[in-house]
Structure formats: structure tokens, C-alpha cells
Amino acid sequence: MAEISVSKRLRRTPFSAGVEAAGVQAYTVYNHMLLATAFEGVEEDYHHLKRAVQVWDVACQRQVELLGPDAIKLLQILTPRDLSKFSASRCMYIPMVDQNGGMLNDPVAVLAGENRVWVSIADSDAGLWIRGIAAACHFDVQVFEPDVSPLAVQGPQSLELMSRVFGPKVADLKFFGCGRFDWEGTSFVISRSGFSKQLGYEIYVEGSHHAMPLWSYLMDKGQDLDVRAGCPNGIERIEGGLLSYGNDMTEADTPLSCGLSAYVSDNQLEACFGGRALREEREAGSPRKIAPVAISGRTPRCDRVWRATVNGTFAGEVTSAAWSPDFEETVAIAMIDRAFWAPGTRLTIETQDGPKQGTIREKFWI
Amino acid sequence: MAEISVSKRLRRTPFSAGVEAAGVQAYTVYNHMLLATAFEGVEEDYHHLKRAVQVWDVACQRQVELLGPDAIKLLQILTPRDLSKFSASRCMYIPMVDQNGGMLNDPVAVLAGENRVWVSIADSDAGLWIRGIAAACHFDVQVFEPDVSPLAVQGPQSLELMSRVFGPKVADLKFFGCGRFDWEGTSFVISRSGFSKQLGYEIYVEGSHHAMPLWSYLMDKGQDLDVRAGCPNGIERIEGGLLSYGNDMTEADTPLSCGLSAYVSDNQLEACFGGRALREEREAGSPRKIAPVAISGRTPRCDRVWRATVNGTFAGEVTSAAWSPDFEETVAIAMIDRAFWAPGTRLTIETQDGPKQGTIREKFWI
């Protein structure tokens, strides 16, 4: 494998010192920022994530702050999801779409204060889209990057660790519930969320100077829980069907084809960008959709789209794949055309090292 | 150094097969795409670039196409540069700024046909800013990514190689001149430009299927010129004062502070985003500006901002640095506060490995 060539442009994070001290082996780049991908090794990290607790530097989930009287009004035209239940105690996953209904990003939004929203973005500069619209429409809102860096605590022991650090009320958080919790004379917004299917939390660390003290505090309090530095795991997230923007969905996909129809509210389709296109797709049915695919044996790295065929006819594209030690097969995510998306369909998958056999599954693995 | 962890999200390019076959050692990520940073080694590549000719996969200079009756009108409100001389035979470097005059990108724009512009972007999703404005303002224009990937041919022997492949008329191109040139039954837009201070050209390869045939053709025709695969060189570009978006300038900087005042036209400041802020800065004088800095001896990798001080007082920030074999010192780029920007000023520069001594120079090295 080639090295990563670092420069200021690939931004370090307020937690980078901790990531380096923990022996990071590999990085990807996400929102122009370094994101670790392996510490002990992707498979070792995977087993540890499923049994213990990890602290993840996910500062690369950059924050776009919307501040001002029009913050919520602006947010609502960016997404087909109805935001009427958005509150300081409930964060929301909001697909963000263009005029054609194409996915521009799939962030989580947090209400951080009055007229103050943090949009925690996936890997595209969605802040530029938001700022372009805000500028052109003369909304009464400022849009900028605040000094807020998410830190995730993930794994079955995450509640135990979080309770030790932030108090027992962390246990009251429901999935996508959030609130402010005190720590060492300050307070952070914490949500029950994260890019794993394990129990997990995300801490919105406001103020970079708090980053390494909090990192060290978590490592210290979790020693007997075998806490370790970790990162979103390329195997576990596929098993759980967690889609990765840029991998499994792009501007060419709509939230409906991505299996996100629960986040497309009929009552918002008049007001938001892309609403008409989404209404038409909902009425006509999506031409393709995301599906889990099991592949026999190991594959090369999925560093490009793999074409999938049925009896020689194009059936779709595999966009992520990884060997699963627990399920002893390669777990994969694909975008499959309607004619072929029935579970059980056998696919021939063209990898860079030759064809592999796969089968569309009914559901993801976990 | 850590490895780079590849996935579909870090896009390969139509030239990746050539880059890999040439033995790429390291990558960075630029516009979500792989960009090689070293083949033989950064210093070996540097010497070769200055004496021979290299072919660079710069597909990561992604294209944003503006197509439609309002293409030029839209382009003009995005930049403070007067576009009246923009034509099919003249491409233009156009700083793109936000409402505050902050740099969002520093692309080159090419007029690729009637009402058809290609904006060749630096490392930010400037297409989202453009699309946000186009959507909100209801401009009659489509904004999308076309199947166009730039390939650069750089080095003192570049004209010889280009003439062999595209004919002797390539010699007529002046700096930032461009035109269409035939090749094997198709034609490409070619400009005399590129991210080096050597003689150089960029070929806008339209149609991915042409990419590897053209790459191989160039390698074949240039064998006796010692043509090699190369990439933007981190040493040579600093010597030449070529700024890198994300390294030496960000949204926090204006074109005026970046030494780009030649691209800020007084007659455009009423019409474009950020015009008022730029007019005020021009009248008041910039509070800081880009400067070349010579540093004694070698430094660690410049993977973060280095604070620069004068007698303990903050004076500015070093944003790029590399050891120059030809000048036998570390060449660097800094953003320096007005009080300290006089050439000859001695700086103490705080690197991650301790302080270094630097001096502000009058001019860049080449």
C-alpha cells in the first residue's frame, strides 16, 4: 500500500495527538481532515469494538453552524425530512438533497441553542451548498464552522464509561436523544448516536482546548473496561447496513433509492429542494435501491465500483465490501436495479481481480 | 508514515492504472480523489521535473461545467475578476470568494463551447457553492461534473513532447492561452498552464476512455526525452510561489492578502459576492499578506500551521515548507501580519520539533 502524504491541507484534529500516541496504522481523508481507519488492524479493531468500548476521533464530521433567526427555516428547505420534532433533546438524521433529489450529504443536525443549529456533515463540503443558498436568498443567518469536534464513544461498554465520566443520566438518552452534560467545569452536547451498530454516544466537544484532556480522561476512566482508541470500522458498519456517503451513495442517488424513505416526509415535498423529483420517484417507484450482498470468500479491496450482472445483464453496482470474521463471508453493499433486487438473486461481481459470486440478502447482518 | 486506506469514496481517476504502473509511492487526497505525491521520491522527482518532462494525473482538478444561457453571467458573480477577455483561446485564473471576500476556491475557467464553461477547481467542493446560488437565483444554467479529466505535461521538454503529439501549433500558445487540438480522431482543449513554474500544458481529456491511450501515447513519444510519470512537486511549487488552496489560503483569507490583487478588478466589485469587503480591504490596506520565508536547515513535515513570532510577538503563520536541494535551505510560504512583513524580518518559527529561524524574503525563489 502507498503512504499517505500529509500536509496542512489534510487537517489534523484536536485529538490527533491521542490518535498518534495510540499507534494509528492507516488514515483516510474525510472532509479534508485525517480520519484513522486502523489501530491494531481492521479485524482486531472489529472484534474489540463488538466486545468492549472505543473512543473515536470523528472530528472530521465537521460542523456547519447555522446561527440566526432564519436558522430553522433554512434547514427545513435543505431536507425532505419534517423537522417539527427537532429539539434540544432530539437530534435528527437529515438527508440533504439537490433540485433533482440527489443526495448532497447525509448529516445529523443538533439544536445547540436558540436559533443555533450544528449540522454534522458527511464527506462533502455541504456548508458551501448551504452558504450559497443563504447568500443568494438573503436569509438572516450566519453559516460558518464553529470550534466543535465530535468524539464518539462506541461499543457495548460505552454506557458504563460515559456514566463514569458524565453521570448516570446518560442512561436516560434514547436513540438520537441528546442533551447537555457537565464535565470538569464545562458542558458538552451529547447524543446517543454514532457510526456503529453497537451502543454508542457522540460528544460535541466545544472548544479545541478541551479535546485532549477529555480524551485522556476517557482513557483513564475506562482502563478496566479495556477502552482503546478506535475508528469507524469498515466491516462492522457494512454488517449493520450503515451507508457511507461517497461510497454507497452520491449525488446520483436519492434518499428513496438509499432506503431512507422514512426521512422523506410527504408534507415537506412542496417546500424543500428536490421535493418534486422525490414525489415523482415515490409515485413511480424507485428504479434501484440499496441491498446487502453476501459474497463467497475474500475479495480484493473495494476501492472502486464493482459491476454486478445476472446472466450477463447489468444488474447493479457493489460499492463497499469487507471480509467478515463473524459471518465468514464477504459482506457488501450494492445499488441494485429493480429488475434484479429480489432477495436470493445470484450476482456475478466483477472485481479488479476477476469475478466473484454474490447473493442479494433480505436484510443486513446485524 | 501511516498508510492511506483506500475505498471507493477516495476516487480513482481514469489515469490511475498508469500512475500505479509507474510505481507511485504516496498519495494525498484532493477533491475526494487520489493525487500522487511521489514516484522516485519527492527530491528525485523535483530534479527530473526541472530538467526533462513529466506527465501528471491531475484529474483531481475536477471540472464543474456551467451549461446554459446564464453560464457567463453566473460565473461573473462568483469572482471579482473581470471576465470580459475570457474566450475560447484564453483561460482565466479566477479567485472565487464568499460574501466576506474569503477564498472559497481558486480555479481556472475554460470556455469549452458556446454557453459552456469548465471550472477546474482546487480542493473544495466549489460546485456546491455554485449550485446553491444557481438553484436559489433560478439561473438558466445546469451545473454538473462532466467526464473531463485534466492531464498535465510539465517540464522544460514539455513543448517538444506536446508538439510531437498535437502538432507544432502548440508552440503558438501563450501563457494561459488555450485551444482545441486534434489527436487520433478526437480533439481536446489544451491550455498552456499547470501547477509548476516550468514550461507546461494541461490537456482537458474529454471522455474517460481516451485517458489511458493518451497517457501511453505520451509516454511512448517521449521516451528519448526521459518522460516519466510525475505529480505537482511540493518543493518546486513553493520555490515558485504557487499557492495551494487549503494549505496557503483558506476561507479566512482574501485574494488581496494572498497576493492576487491582479485578479480583483475594481469594475466588478459592485456585482460579485464579497465585492464590498474587497473594496474596503483595498482602501484600508490588507492586514496581512503572503510572503516567502527562508528557513535555515531542514524542518519536520509541515503538516500543520507553524506559528511565527518576532521577539515573542505573534507575526504570522507558516503554511507550507520543504527542503530545497537547489537552494540548500528550507523554502516556505507564510501569511504575515502587516507590522512584520518587511523583507529581511527575522522570524522564530514554532515547528512540532521545536523552534527554527527564518527570514522573510523579497521574492520567491524562481
Side-chain angles (χ1 to χ4, degrees):
Chain A
M1 279 303 301
E3 280 186 1
I4 188 165
S5 186
V6 293
S7 66
K8 167 181 170 275
R9 184 174 54 77
L10 307 191
R11 296 167 64 183
R12 294 166 61 80
T13 89
F15 309 106
S16 286
V19 167
E20 287 165 353
V24 57
Q25 286 183 1
Y27 285 112
T28 186
V29 175
Y30 198 95
N31 282 325
H32 313 277
M33 210 168 220
L34 295 173
L35 171 62
T37 58
F39 287 88
E40 314 268 321
V42 176
E43 293 192 11
E44 294 82 347
D45 295 349
Y46 159 90
H47 292 301
H48 178 262
L49 171 62
K50 287 185 167 187
R51 73 174 155 75
V53 55
Q54 297 181 348
V55 177
W56 296 0
D57 170 8
V58 286
C60 66
Q61 294 169 193
R62 294 313 304 146
Q63 304 302 300
V64 179
E65 180 163 330
L66 280 53
L67 178 67
D70 289 340
I72 301 290
K73 184 173 143 198
L74 173 57
L75 193 67
Q76 184 63 84
I77 68 167
L78 298 172
T79 180
R81 184 167 185 190
D82 178 356
L83 299 179
S84 56
K85 290 183 180 159
F86 184 49
S87 75
S89 59
R90 184 173 175 188
C91 55
M92 281 188 155
Y93 178 75
I94 54 164
M96 197 172 282
V97 301
D98 66 14
Q99 308 102 290
N100 309 314
M103 295 285 289
L104 295 180
N105 205 287
D106 68 327
V108 171
V110 168
L111 190 62
E114 200 185 338
N115 295 327
R116 186 179 185 210
V117 176
W118 290 337
V119 182
S120 192
I121 61 172
D123 185 36
S124 77
D125 298 332
L128 291 178
W129 165 254
I130 302 173
R131 289 169 67 185
I133 291 165
C137 293
H138 302 287
F139 275 108
D140 188 4
V141 63
Q142 293 171 266
V143 183
F144 58 96
E145 183 184 290
D147 180 15
V148 175
S149 297
L151 186 67
V153 179
Q154 304 280 308
Q157 295 296 321
S158 59
L159 175 57
E160 176 59 28
L161 177 55
M162 289 293 286
S163 300
R164 292 181 188 180
V165 175
F166 294 102
K169 280 200 172 292
V170 172
D172 297 341
L173 287 175
K174 294 194 172 64
F175 192 53
F176 274 73
C178 62
R180 270 202 178 265
F181 291 80
D182 293 331
W183 178 74
E184 299 281 296
T186 185
S187 74
F188 300 125
V189 172
I190 292 174
S191 61
R192 198 178 126 198
S193 56
F195 201 63
S196 86
K197 278 286 187 172
Q198 312 304 311
L199 183 62
Y201 300 86
E202 289 177 299
I203 310 163
Y204 289 78
V205 180
E206 199 174 351
S208 294
H209 58 290
H210 292 307
M212 281 310 301
L214 176 61
W215 173 283
S216 301
Y217 197 95
L218 284 159
M219 291 296 174
D220 186 50
K221 294 289 177 192
Q223 266 190 358
D224 61 307
L225 304 173
D226 191 23
V227 66
R228 294 185 199 167
C231 49
N233 185 274
I235 310 166
E236 196 264 2
R237 72 106 183 155
I238 297 175
E239 290 178 352
L242 295 174
L243 305 187
S244 162
Y245 186 75
N247 282 316
D248 310 309
M249 52 189 170
T250 71
E251 292 175 15
D253 305 303
T254 69
L256 299 174
S257 61
C258 295
L260 305 175
S261 57
Y263 310 105
V264 176
S265 313
D266 282 329
N267 65 337
Q268 290 308 321
L269 297 184
E270 292 302 319
C272 74
F273 284 102
R276 193 171 61 181
L278 293 176
R279 185 184 299 283
E280 286 170 8
E281 181 178 337
R282 185 162 262 175
E283 283 163 8
S286 295
R288 53 196 201 141
K289 72 171 185 187
I290 287 279
V293 173
I295 303 177
S296 309
R298 288 180 182 263
T299 63
R301 283 198 191 221
C302 189
D303 63 354
R304 64 199 81 183
V305 160
W306 291 337
R307 208 165 164 269
T309 58
V310 172
N311 297 326
T313 304
F314 177 84
E317 293 178 331
V318 172
T319 52
S320 294
W323 172 257
S324 164
D326 282 355
F327 295 97
E328 296 186 321
E329 61 189 2
T330 292
V331 295
I333 298 176
M335 184 65 81
I336 302 290
D337 283 5
R338 174 153 43 180
F340 301 100
W341 73 33
T345 303
R346 304 289 301 262
L347 303 169
T348 298
I349 296 161
E350 298 167 9
T351 79
Q352 59 267 37
D353 292 353
K356 296 279 174 184
Q357 298 305 311
T359 307
I360 297 176
R361 285 171 55 95
E362 178 85 35
K363 292 198 293 188
F364 282 92
W365 288 259
I366 53 175
Chain B
M1 279 303 302
E3 279 185 2
I4 189 164
S5 185
V6 293
S7 67
K8 166 181 171 276
R9 183 173 55 76
L10 307 191
R11 297 167 64 182
R12 294 166 60 80
T13 89
F15 310 106
S16 286
V19 167
E20 288 165 354
V24 59
Q25 286 183 2
Y27 285 112
T28 186
V29 176
Y30 199 95
N31 282 326
H32 312 278
M33 210 167 220
L34 295 173
L35 171 61
T37 57
F39 286 88
E40 314 269 321
V42 176
E43 293 192 11
E44 293 82 348
D45 294 350
Y46 159 90
H47 292 302
H48 179 263
L49 170 62
K50 286 186 168 188
R51 74 173 154 76
V53 55
Q54 296 182 348
V55 176
W56 295 0
D57 171 7
V58 286
C60 67
Q61 295 170 192
R62 293 313 304 146
Q63 303 302 301
V64 180
E65 180 163 329
L66 280 54
L67 179 67
D70 289 340
I72 301 290
K73 184 173 144 198
L74 173 57
L75 193 67
Q76 184 62 85
I77 69 168
L78 298 172
T79 180
R81 183 167 187 191
D82 177 357
L83 298 180
S84 55
K85 291 184 179 157
F86 184 50
S87 75
S89 59
R90 184 174 173 185
C91 56
M92 280 187 157
Y93 178 74
I94 52 165
M96 196 172 282
V97 301
D98 66 15
Q99 308 101 291
N100 308 313
M103 294 285 290
L104 294 179
N105 206 288
D106 68 327
V108 170
V110 168
L111 190 62
E114 200 186 339
N115 296 326
R116 186 178 185 211
V117 175
W118 291 336
V119 182
S120 191
I121 61 172
D123 185 35
S124 78
D125 297 333
L128 291 177
W129 165 255
I130 302 173
R131 289 169 66 185
I133 290 165
C137 293
H138 303 288
F139 276 106
D140 188 3
V141 63
Q142 293 171 268
V143 183
F144 59 96
E145 183 184 291
D147 180 14
V148 175
S149 296
L151 187 67
V153 179
Q154 305 280 305
Q157 294 296 321
S158 59
L159 174 57
E160 176 59 29
L161 177 55
M162 290 293 286
S163 300
R164 292 181 188 179
V165 175
F166 294 102
K169 279 200 173 291
V170 172
D172 298 341
L173 287 175
K174 294 195 173 63
F175 192 52
F176 274 73
C178 62
R180 269 202 179 266
F181 292 79
D182 293 331
W183 178 74
E184 299 281 296
T186 184
S187 74
F188 300 126
V189 171
I190 293 175
S191 61
R192 197 179 127 199
S193 56
F195 201 62
S196 85
K197 278 284 187 173
Q198 312 305 311
L199 184 62
Y201 299 87
E202 289 177 299
I203 310 162
Y204 289 78
V205 180
E206 198 174 353
S208 294
H209 58 290
H210 291 306
M212 281 311 300
L214 176 61
W215 173 284
S216 302
Y217 198 94
L218 284 160
M219 291 296 174
D220 186 49
K221 294 290 177 192
Q223 266 189 357
D224 60 308
L225 304 173
D226 191 22
V227 66
R228 294 185 199 167
C231 49
N233 184 275
I235 310 165
E236 196 265 0
R237 72 106 185 156
I238 297 175
E239 291 178 350
L242 295 174
L243 305 187
S244 162
Y245 187 75
N247 283 316
D248 309 309
M249 52 190 170
T250 71
E251 292 176 15
D253 306 304
T254 69
L256 299 175
S257 61
C258 294
L260 305 175
S261 57
Y263 310 104
V264 177
S265 313
D266 282 329
N267 65 337
Q268 291 308 320
L269 297 184
E270 291 303 318
C272 75
F273 284 102
R276 193 169 63 181
L278 293 176
R279 186 184 298 282
E280 287 170 6
E281 182 178 336
R282 185 162 262 177
E283 284 164 5
S286 295
R288 52 195 201 140
K289 72 171 185 187
I290 288 279
V293 173
I295 303 177
S296 308
R298 288 180 182 264
T299 63
R301 282 198 191 223
C302 189
D303 64 354
R304 65 199 80 183
V305 159
W306 292 338
R307 209 165 161 268
T309 59
V310 173
N311 296 326
T313 304
F314 178 84
E317 294 178 331
V318 171
T319 52
S320 293
W323 172 257
S324 163
D326 281 355
F327 295 97
E328 295 187 320
E329 62 188 2
T330 292
V331 295
I333 298 176
M335 184 65 81
I336 302 291
D337 283 5
R338 174 153 42 180
F340 301 99
W341 73 32
T345 303
R346 303 290 301 260
L347 303 169
T348 299
I349 297 161
E350 298 167 8
T351 79
Q352 59 268 36
D353 292 354
K356 296 279 174 185
Q357 297 306 310
T359 306
I360 298 177
R361 285 171 56 95
E362 178 85 34
K363 292 198 293 187
F364 282 91
W365 288 260
I366 53 174

